[in-house]
Amino acid sequence: MIIASNFKTNHTRKATREFVEFINNFLKDTNDKHQIRVYPSFTALDVFDTVTAMKVGAQNFYPVDKGSFTGEVGYEQLEEFGVDSVLVGHSERRHILGERQEILLKKFHFAKEKNLEIIYCIGEPQEVREAGIEAVMNYLWEQLEGIDLAYERLVVAYEPVWAIGTGLTASLEDIQETHARLRERVEAPILYGGSVKVENIYEVLSVKNCDGVLVGTASWEKESFCKMIELAQTLKA
Ligand code: PGA
């Protein structure tokens, strides 16, 4: 399974290093069987010496090697830190930063060309969920349009928009049904994200076709993230 922490706009360089070292030491001692991912801010990226199962990745990038894109970060700058895993399509980038499918596809294909692991995030807004599962699936398949589902380093993260950072988690039945429907076409691991925390991670990970979690808020304290990894260890590999 994949247990991932998305820092979003949190943690300084120093706090990030402490976090990564703390988790890494824990993994060294426990021989964890899961894949652990941490996505810090660009300002805190660095070359981190971690166990193989742990990767420090990037929350975002601009799909160029380098160039004139003020305020953006290109591949050369990620490569310098050995970044091998990226997020694409996170709901905050879609809905707050205004990224549309066209740029997300460019990012996906660029990252694929660089052979990066891609956590491609999809998720429906509240009104679509209220319209029922068929509406949800139509929405999700549209977000997956143009994505190469056969890419071997693809991971899909199902994150309902209304569950992100709100404390509201989708019901286990909804997660199970949505993942099962995605599984009809998606062979890649499917993660769930949206208010996952110490109190519910075990149940969420127990859902069939749930291959891991992408956690924001509840993962920002290193002790909590560690606890979540510990709980995951008591489950399937
Ligand atoms: P959350 O964020 O855990 O704070 O809901 C999840 C995410 O944005 O990936």
Side-chain angles (χ1 to χ4, degrees), residues 1 21 34 57 69 104 130 156 236:
M1 284 194 288
E21 281 171 5
H34 301 304
F69 304 94
L104 297 177
E130 281 165 7
V156 172
K236 63 198 172 188

Side-chain angles (χ1 to χ4, degrees), residues 20 37 44 82 85 96 102 117 119 134 163 165 203 223:
V20 170
R37 302 286 179 266
S85 178
I96 303 176
E102 192 191 349
E117 176 182 74
I119 300 201
E134 294 311 324
E203 297 172 324
E223 291 80 7

